[in-house]
Every structure is written in C-alpha cells, then in structure tokens.
C-alpha cells in the first residue's frame, strides 16, 4: 500500500478515523500538524512566550516535547521533570528525560523531591494514603510543576494528556455530575492568579497509540516500565469501552470529545463570574481556596518541614 499523502513511499500506519494510510515520514508530519492546529485553535500560547513542558519520561510527554519543538521552532521552550524518588523507577525516568531534552534541544529543569523537600512518594506507602498513592502523587506533581514553572517565568505549562486520558476523566466526571471539575478539563485553563501558570493540553486530540508510534519512528527513548503504584482498574474499563466503540465506528472518540468540549464551554461561561476566591497558603505561599494547600497538607504527613 502506498502512502496516501506523498504517494511515493510504502504506507506503514493506518488511521481508520481519518481514512489515511501513511508512511513514517508523512505520519510524523501529520502528528506535528495536528499539535500545531490544536495549539492555534485553543490559543494556548503566544509567540515569544516561554512554554514549559512537563516531562515524565513516558511516550506522551516525550512526543509532545519533540512535536512542539519542531512545530514551533522559534518558541522558547523548557522541559520540567520531577524526580519523585520512587525506588527502581524514578532514576530511569530521569535518564530518559535527559535524553529526550537533548534530542529536542531544550533546557531541562529537574526538581528532586527528596533533595528539595526531604521526602519521596515512597514515603507515603506507610501512611493513610498507601491505598491512594496516585491521588497523593497527583496532588504533589500539580503543585510542584506550577511552582517550578512560575519561578522560571513560564507562561503556559503543557502536559501530555492525550485523547483517551481526557475522555476517560471527562466521562467519569460527567457520570458523577461533577461539572465544575469537568470544566477544568478544557484544553486551555487560563491563569486565575499571578502565581498560577496557565495549563494547556496540546495532545487532547492525539490518540495514545499514535504518541507511541511517533516516539518510535522518531527514535526517541521512552520509559518502558510502569509506575509500581499505578492501579487504575476503573479507568482501564472505560478505556476498553472507548476502544471497542472506536473499532465499531471509527471517529467515535473524536465525536465524543467534541460533545464534551461543547459542554465544558457552556459550563465555563456560567462559572466565569463565580470563580473561587483564592488565598495564599500560609506554608508555601501559593494559591489555595483554604488556609493550607492540599500539597502542604499531605506533605505534613511525612516531612517535619511542613507543619500545618
């Protein structure tokens, strides 16, 4: 089969939803163009603004960093990585992001949780959070990424949330009726405070397996091992359902995303004038709706430096 775009090389990638059969080179260009269109459609950042990319070592953030660098060659970009101190896992992640940043030709900032704050994610395995390690890890990562990005002067912080990631969470929030959190999943989440960096999701229209293909064909090393604390059976069930529906009706995921985005626009419009009043956490000094932010509350369980 010949590539449908260049009509020269042999096609290796089939995209049923787009009715395309592509060669590796045209697929990479297709991937980059979609990231560019997404950034432009949702007005994620302006020319000249410093863009931060949260890199974990995995395929999604690696593909995002590489595609943004090629798609926006004049844009200032910095990669941000958190070493979570997970034994037998975090050191490999850091090695991978070092190579990814080198290939992309961007500066890499590494925040070592143990060196900076005196604890690791492993520290929570003996606390009441031991059965909810993903939740506490997410709380810490969101805070630290914003803090590092703010200190560096980043105007927009990009994360590697792909199409399935977004749909899984949107679907769960929709069923639970948590429309306020659903609105926060919009591809661009503007800053609501001088210390809060705008969040963007340039891969919101990118299927997960295509990020893997992109890193493979671009020869970008990615983390292969899964986090030892990862445990998402409910999310996996939703993902399987999405895959089954996509197989039956190519383009199903995009249609579902379009519907959710229409809903989030309506919700966001209704909430714009009712934004929560933010205080500054009395421990770390970053915005929170209470006296102490969620990150400092959980950190106080394992670090004497976080007295709340």
């Amino acid at each position: 089969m010949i590539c449908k775009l260049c009509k020269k090389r042999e096609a290796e990638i089939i995209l049923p939803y787009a009715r395309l059969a592509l060669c590796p080179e045209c697929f990479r260009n297709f991937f980059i163009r979609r990231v560019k269109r997404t950034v432009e459609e949702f007005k994620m950042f302006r020319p000249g603004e410093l863009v931060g990319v949260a890199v974990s070592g995995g395929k999604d953030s690696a593909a995002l960093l590489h595609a943004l660098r090629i798609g926006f060659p004049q844009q200032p970009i910095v990669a941000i990585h958190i070493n979570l101190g997970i034994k037998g896992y975090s050191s490999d992640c850091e090695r991978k992001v070092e190579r990814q940043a080198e290939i992309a030709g961007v500066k890499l900032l590494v925040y070592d949780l143990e060196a900076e704050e005196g604890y690791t994610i492993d520290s929570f395995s003996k606390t009441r959070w031991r059965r909810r390690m993903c939740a506490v890890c997410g709380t810490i990562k969101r805070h630290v990424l914003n803090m590092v990005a703010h200190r560096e002067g980043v105007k927009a912080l990009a994360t590697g949330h792909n199409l399935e990631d977004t749909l899984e969470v949107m679907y769960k929030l929709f069923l639970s009726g948590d429309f306020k959190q659903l609105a926060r999943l919009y591809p661009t989440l503007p800053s609501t405070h001088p210390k809060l960096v705008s969040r963007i999701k340039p891969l919101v229209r990118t299927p997960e397996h295509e990020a893997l293909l992109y890193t493979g064909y671009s020869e970008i090393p990615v983390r292969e091992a899964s986090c030892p604390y990862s445990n998402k059976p409910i999310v996996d069930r939703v993902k399987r359902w999405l895959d089954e529906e996509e197989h039956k009706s190519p383009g199903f995921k995009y249609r579902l995303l379009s519907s959710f985005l229409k809903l989030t626009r309506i919700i966001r419009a209704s909430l714009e004038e009712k934004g929560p009043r933010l205080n500054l956490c009395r421990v770390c000094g970053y915005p929170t709706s209470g006296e102490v932010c969620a990150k400092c509350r959980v950190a106080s369980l394992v670090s004497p430096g976080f007295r709340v």
Side-chain angles (χ1 to χ4, degrees):
M1 188 180 296
I2 301 300
C3 175
K4 194 169 183 179
L5 294 184
C6 70
K7 303 186 186 305
K8 296 177 182 178
R9 294 175 290 269
E10 183 179 352
E12 296 183 22
I13 303 100
I14 309 298
L15 305 178
Y17 64 86
R19 298 181 181 178
L20 288 176
L22 304 175
C23 68
E25 184 174 340
C26 287
F27 169 73
R28 288 196 298 267
N29 291 335
F30 173 86
F31 188 100
I32 294 166
R33 285 197 302 271
R34 181 171 53 204
V35 170
K36 286 192 66 176
R37 287 197 304 269
T38 302
V39 168
E40 291 163 358
E41 177 185 348
F42 293 100
K43 299 178 176 60
M44 293 186 170
F45 51 77
R46 298 174 182 173
E49 290 183 338
L50 179 60
V51 176
V53 181
V55 288
S56 65
K59 64 187 186 312
D60 298 307
S61 57
L64 172 60
L65 178 65
H66 195 266
L68 284 176
R69 178 72 290 161
I70 296 177
F72 299 90
Q74 303 304 316
Q75 195 75 32
I77 296 175
V78 61
I80 304 173
H81 175 69
I82 307 173
N83 187 314
L84 299 168
I86 300 174
K87 188 176 180 181
Y89 174 76
S90 292
S91 57
D92 178 57
C93 291
E94 186 169 335
R95 285 193 295 270
K96 291 296 191 300
V97 298
E98 287 173 350
R99 181 61 182 141
Q100 291 165 7
E102 182 182 355
I103 291 172
V106 301
K107 178 183 177 182
L108 172 65
L109 299 175
V110 176
Y111 187 91
D112 189 307
L113 197 60
E114 184 172 24
E116 296 286 346
E117 303 193 10
Y119 63 90
T120 68
I121 294 301
D122 285 340
S123 304
F124 292 91
S125 62
K126 296 181 180 180
T127 70
R128 57 187 174 86
W129 289 94
R130 63 186 179 278
R131 298 186 186 280
R132 298 182 61 202
M133 295 292 278
C134 288
V136 71
C137 184
T139 296
I140 291 171
K141 285 193 294 187
R142 283 189 295 273
H143 179 96
V144 171
L145 285 170
N146 177 78
M147 179 181 68
V148 174
H150 172 255
R151 290 177 179 176
E152 191 69 13
V154 167
K155 295 301 181 183
L157 178 62
T159 58
H161 293 90
N162 58 48
L163 174 63
E164 287 84 359
D165 291 335
T166 305
L167 287 177
E168 287 162 359
V169 180
M170 282 183 163
Y171 182 77
K172 182 179 177 182
L173 292 173
F174 177 76
L175 291 182
S176 66
D178 193 344
F179 299 120
K180 185 176 293 187
Q181 285 302 315
L182 180 62
R184 292 180 59 81
L185 293 181
Y186 198 70
T188 300
L189 189 62
S191 170
T192 56
H193 188 279
K195 283 191 172 184
L196 289 178
V197 177
S198 172
R199 296 288 186 114
I200 59 175
K201 300 181 179 71
L203 296 187
V204 68
R205 288 199 170 116
T206 298
E208 181 177 14
H209 75 280
E210 291 183 28
L212 180 61
L213 288 173
Y214 182 86
T215 55
Y217 282 118
S218 302
E219 299 183 348
I220 303 170
V222 298
R223 179 196 69 226
E224 296 178 358
S226 297
C227 176
Y229 297 116
S230 179
N231 182 20
K232 302 184 291 183
I234 296 177
V235 170
D236 288 343
R237 285 200 297 272
V238 174
K239 182 179 177 180
R240 285 196 296 271
W241 171 73
L242 289 169
D243 288 341
E244 289 170 0
E245 294 302 316
E246 180 69 22
H247 180 71
K248 295 176 189 174
S249 178
F252 169 78
K253 291 179 182 178
Y254 285 108
R255 293 191 295 273
L256 184 59
L257 178 66
S258 178
S259 296
F260 276 137
L261 289 179
K262 289 177 183 177
L263 179 60
T264 57
R265 288 189 189 101
I266 296 172
I267 299 171
R268 289 177 76 223
S270 68
L271 294 176
E272 274 183 359
E273 298 179 358
K274 307 174 186 177
R277 182 171 178 269
L278 296 176
N279 308 307
L280 293 181
C281 173
R282 59 181 172 80
V283 179
C284 69
Y286 275 82
T288 178
S289 56
E291 289 188 14
V292 179
C293 71
K295 183 263 187 179
C296 288
R297 288 201 302 271
V298 298
S300 68
L301 298 175
V302 293
S303 175
F306 288 85
R307 295 296 184 187
V308 300

